[in-house]
Amino acid sequence: MGEEEEASKQGSLPFDERYVPTGTYRETLARSLQDPERFWKQLALRELHWSHPFTRVIGGRAPFWKWFEGGETNASYNCLDRHVEAGRGGRVAYHWEGEPGERRTITYRELLSLVERIAGVLRGLGLRQGDRIALYLPMVPETPAVMLAAARLGIGFTTVFSGFSAEALAGRIQDCGARIVVTADGTYRRGRFLPLKPIVDQAVDRCPSIEKVLVVRRGPDPVPLREGRDLLLEDELKSAPAHQPPVALPSDQLLYLLYTSGTTGKPKGVVHGTGGYLVHAASTMRWVFDAKPETDTFWCAADIGWVTGHTYIVFGPLLVGLTSVLYEGAFDIPSPDRIWSLVERYGVSTLYTSPTAIRSLMKHGNEWPRSHDLSSLRLLGSVGEAINPAAWEWYYREIGGERCPIVDTWWQTETGGILISPAPGLATLPLKPGSATLPLPGIDADVVGDDGRSVPPGTKGLLVVRRPWPGMFLTLYNDPKRYQEVYFSRFPGLYYPGDYAVRDPDGYFWLLGRADEVLKVAGHRLGTIEIEDALVSFPAVAEAAVVGQRDPVKGEVIAAFVTLRSGAVPGPSLSEKLRAHVREKLGPVATPEAVHIVSGLPKTRSGKIMRRVIRSVANHESVGDLTTLEDEATVDEVRKAFEDLRGAMSKEPPTSA
Ligand code: ATP
Ligand code: MG
């Protein structure tokens, strides 16, 4: 990597060379890895407009690579202006729907106009290239518009999920030194109006870097504004100039910084650049989602506050000129078929959501999806956690009508875009429920042992990526040392994502859970996902989490927590049945010592199970940073389950397992 390469030689490649070289998918993969620089260069030229051509594909010094060095481009221009210039301004960019039911349709031309005017407002506030702003915004059309307006001027933004507390928001603002916050008065969630502005007021009191608070009005009432500090966006727009030209920005210009979910600890401030990130976003739209901009309606049903929203609600779909659905609220408000009514109304062709959402939709039962026409769907996606085969099957059968491929996409905030996934836009690969299948072209992923050497198929190990890829983060904000330590020191020269995995004899990747959550039971290493999959395959179980619990005799035993599907009856006999079920599926080693039935699991606000919290409770340790926790009551419930168990064990002799 970073080898000197003659840019002039690469310049001779034809622009229109076919995206996907003919031949099988595996050949494409192999070819892309023979000469990654040539491969990515073709894509960069094809996918983006460069106002100044790049001179090197990969510059910089490992692990601080600079993608498309010397090049200048602009995210907002590539997402909007060029479509409008090409006569596609009338195409719908977003079909927006509020939770109470209001609808708005925004074309590419309208979105561009809004973005230009917001950029004018930002400029009027004195913001310049290299400044940072924070976004604490709900799922309204202004949110992508503010992101693109910042990008238009080279202002870095950080989006903080609008479900976070004032404390979490303040911490992120302080970390990046944002000069303004853009927020809304509130948002509709779960049937009520949830004020956001008071949370911002509280946070900003602790953030001396903040000069102004810009407020989007969502609710019906006048918004109380703090004199001299707060501005209403709609007022500012009235006097904003109609046009604001995009600034030509260096390829490694900070586009946004985003904090990770905090599943394993304190969130990390992940920094994304411009050129490389956009090339990756656009390419994966075509490969993974097989984007057909003329006919598709794309719905990435994540919150914009997560990386999934950044790459697959905003930048990816707009780069390739797709029409997307943007929905404000919960999937089950006013009834559990809200999500399916949206699919039907907008004729959604591609639905991309998380296993946690899929499991909760499944929990509601089949009558809800069955009461809607879902025949417009042609592709389904999953992201955020490993999808249990049982949930995969349900999604495939009940939602996709056995006709839609499922793309189980493995990636991280750090990777910028998808790295391992089926790629129906390139080739038809046999799918296997629970496997993210193969790395995408240009991605040199592998599974290694503790010594950093590749392990053979069937041997579990640690996922690594051997070479950089364009969407990868540039660093951790203000902390290049931590960037090197966390990601590049475990195996020098390799990117270490911190996930446990195995490849099967076909080379397919199976993600088995977080590396630091691996269970070591009686000399065996087990990924949490292996046991959770077995539990979720039991019909009564909706969700499962397993953790290791220290045991004076065995070293470590497995504690399992499950939630049930509607209608299932909890009780000691069910717990016993579940233990027997796991034993039958995986053998005695993997059998949980106890299966606790709870009504909810501790999760991050992005819906991921926080096993580290359960593990800390089980091992009488401090639970650590809880700023990203969704619901504190779930932790108490876990605690109570352990106490009940201890109480029961002190009264009667433990039943032999
Ligand atoms: P933190 O790094 O702060 O602990 P986080 O890792 O949850 O938070 P994200 O970047 O949102 O933050 O999540 C990336 C992680 O999610 C991956 O490392 C992996 O563990 C998990 N993940 C995402 N997609 C998949 C998938 N398709 N299959 C299995 N695991 C996945
Ligand atoms: Mg992570």
Side-chain angles (χ1 to χ4, degrees):
M1 261 114 11
E3 309 108 16
E4 303 296 324
E5 173 126 30
E6 278 285 307
S8 54
K9 263 191 243 153
Q10 298 168 354
S12 62
L13 287 172
F15 268 64
D16 61 352
E17 180 165 325
R18 265 187 62 83
Y19 226 89
V20 188
T22 46
T24 67
Y25 182 65
R26 284 171 205 269
E27 282 164 12
T28 309
L29 202 65
R31 226 185 91 161
S32 70
L33 293 177
Q34 272 161 20
D35 192 350
E37 298 209 9
R38 179 173 183 272
F39 176 78
W40 290 119
K41 173 173 179 155
Q42 284 177 47
L43 288 169
L45 294 177
R46 181 174 170 138
E47 289 298 355
L48 291 193
H49 169 268
W50 296 89
S51 34
H52 190 277
F54 50 89
T55 49
R56 292 183 70 188
V57 175
I58 313 175
R61 229 166 207 278
F64 299 94
W65 293 281
K66 286 180 191 289
W67 279 86
F68 310 117
E69 202 178 21
E72 287 178 359
T73 187
N74 183 284
S76 156
Y77 178 83
N78 278 283
C79 287
L80 300 171
D81 306 58
R82 68 176 167 148
H83 298 307
V84 176
E85 286 167 11
R88 294 187 291 268
R91 185 178 292 166
V92 174
Y94 294 109
H95 290 290
W96 177 79
E97 192 165 310
E99 198 187 72
E102 321 95 296
R103 293 175 206 161
R104 253 169 92 183
T105 296
I106 298 112
T107 64
Y108 274 81
R109 185 178 301 109
E110 288 162 344
L111 185 59
L112 173 59
S113 160
L114 180 61
V115 166
E116 290 201 74
R117 287 178 300 131
I118 297 177
V121 173
L122 297 178
R123 176 136 285 168
L125 292 174
L127 291 159
R128 288 179 309 269
Q129 181 180 342
D131 285 340
R132 275 91 46 219
I133 64 173
L135 275 56
Y136 188 71
L137 281 165
M139 295 286 281
V140 291
E142 284 78 5
T143 305
V146 172
M147 292 161 78
L148 291 160
R152 200 166 183 84
L153 304 179
I155 299 163
F157 59 88
T158 189
T159 314
V160 180
F161 172 58
S162 61
F164 276 132
S165 64
E167 183 196 347
L169 173 61
R172 287 160 174 75
I173 291 174
Q174 287 159 359
D175 193 63
C176 73
R179 290 183 58 190
I180 73 165
V181 190
V182 188
T183 188
D185 51 350
T187 183
Y188 291 90
R189 190 167 302 155
R190 309 213 65 83
R192 41 182 213 103
F193 189 70
L194 193 85
L196 295 177
K197 175 75 174 19
I199 299 171
V200 172
D201 289 338
Q202 245 187 57
V204 167
D205 284 342
R206 289 183 252 164
C207 300
S209 67
I210 294 295
E211 299 159 24
K212 297 280 178 216
V213 175
L214 198 54
V215 188
V216 175
R217 197 161 60 84
R218 170 76 184 101
D221 302 323
V223 187
L225 299 175
R226 232 182 255 187
E227 187 67 37
R229 191 198 68 182
D230 300 350
L231 303 164
L232 209 54
L233 181 66
E234 61 191 28
D235 292 344
E236 299 307 304
L237 286 177
K238 283 179 201 145
S239 53
H243 294 292
Q244 197 60 235
V247 178
L249 299 165
S251 182
D252 67 343
Q253 174 75 42
L254 165 68
L255 178 61
Y256 64 81
L257 76 103
L258 187 62
Y259 294 82
T260 56
S261 305
T263 310
T264 51
K266 191 170 172 287
K268 308 174 230 9
V270 169
V271 173
H272 280 292
T274 302
Y277 171 79
L278 296 176
V279 169
H280 192 161
S283 311
T284 50
M285 282 306 301
R286 301 195 201 273
W287 297 339
V288 176
F289 298 111
D290 186 26
K292 304 244 188 296
E294 272 79 35
T295 48
D296 274 348
T297 301
F298 187 76
W299 187 14
C300 169
D303 193 279
I304 279 190
W306 313 122
V307 72
T308 305
H310 284 59
T311 308
Y312 299 110
I313 297 178
V314 184
F315 294 105
L318 295 175
L319 281 170
V320 301
L322 271 182
T323 296
S324 286
V325 169
L326 189 66
Y327 169 60
E328 178 182 36
F331 289 168
D332 54 352
I333 298 291
S335 53
D337 62 342
R338 181 62 179 274
I339 175 171
W340 312 124
S341 73
L342 280 141
V343 168
E344 182 171 3
R345 174 155 46 255
Y346 299 106
V348 171
S349 55
T350 313
L351 177 67
Y352 188 35
T353 187
S354 64
T356 194
I358 295 163
R359 288 186 301 252
S360 77
L361 292 163
M362 192 174 158
K363 202 171 166 176
H364 291 309
N366 295 341
E367 62 275 24
W368 300 103
R370 285 184 189 169
S371 65
H372 290 274
D373 177 5
L374 305 181
S375 62
S376 58
L377 289 170
R378 68 175 185 89
L379 209 155
L380 299 172
S382 169
V383 60
E385 291 179 284
I387 177 164
N388 317 104
W392 194 104
E393 298 279 359
W394 181 83
Y395 198 31
Y396 184 74
R397 215 181 39 248
E398 285 297 324
I399 307 309
E402 300 183 19
R403 118 192 129 254
C404 308
I406 293 185
V407 293
D408 174 359
T409 61
W410 179 86
W411 59 299
Q412 308 176 294
T413 308
E414 294 89 336
T415 68
I418 299 164
L419 296 196
I420 305 177
S421 166
L426 288 175
T428 313
L429 271 187
L431 302 175
K432 301 186 191 187
S435 168
T437 74
L438 297 176
L440 294 176
I443 305 303
D444 196 1
D446 198 0
V447 178
V448 301
D450 289 327
D451 57 0
R453 294 211 204 147
S454 300
V455 293
T459 304
K460 295 175 211 170
L462 300 166
L463 183 66
V464 294
V465 187
R466 295 188 174 279
R467 297 179 225 218
W469 64 94
M472 72 185 294
F473 61 146
L474 309 182
T475 186
L476 291 180
Y477 197 75
N478 271 340
D479 207 350
K481 210 169 144 246
R482 190 171 175 212
Y483 168 77
Q484 269 177 305
E485 274 167 17
V486 173
Y487 304 101
F488 296 97
S489 69
R490 179 77 163 81
F491 304 113
L494 308 186
Y495 173 70
Y496 173 64
D499 280 359
Y500 195 53
V502 65
R503 291 174 89 163
D504 68 16
D506 294 327
Y508 280 37
F509 285 71
W510 297 76
L511 280 304
L512 302 176
R514 313 278 174 155
D516 56 3
E517 290 169 348
V518 167
L519 306 159
K520 292 173 209 81
V521 186
H524 295 265
R525 286 195 193 197
L526 295 162
T528 50
I529 304 298
E530 302 174 74
I531 305 164
E532 290 164 6
D533 282 350
L535 288 163
V536 174
S537 74
F538 193 84
V541 174
E543 290 197 290
V546 306
V547 300
Q549 190 181 354
R550 272 195 302 275
D551 182 271
V553 182
K554 300 181 186 166
E556 189 167 47
V557 296
I558 302 165
F561 288 79
V562 299
T563 64
L564 301 182
R565 292 220 220 173
S566 39
V569 191
S573 73
L574 180 58
S575 298
E576 271 317 305
K577 273 189 208 147
L578 288 172
R579 296 182 64 229
H581 177 72
V582 176
R583 186 201 307 262
E584 192 187 307
K585 290 208 113 176
L586 299 176
V589 170
T591 309
E593 192 76 357
V595 178
H596 306 277
I597 296 164
V598 288
S599 62
L601 296 169
K603 289 185 185 172
T604 62
R605 281 164 213 261
S606 53
K608 297 178 187 215
I609 298 169
M610 290 176 93
R611 295 178 193 79
R612 71 164 167 97
V613 172
I614 307 179
R615 193 182 51 205
S616 306
V617 172
N619 294 305
H620 311 285
E621 290 159 359
S622 138
V623 290
D625 185 291
L626 289 185
T627 48
T628 66
L629 180 71
E630 164 86 32
D631 180 1
E632 300 240 356
T634 54
V635 180
D636 296 335
E637 220 186 312
V638 166
R639 202 168 271 136
K640 191 169 170 298
F642 276 112
E643 275 156 17
D644 288 352
L645 183 73
R646 266 193 293 276
M649 297 217 313
S650 61
K651 275 181 225 125
E652 47 188 271
T655 49
S656 69

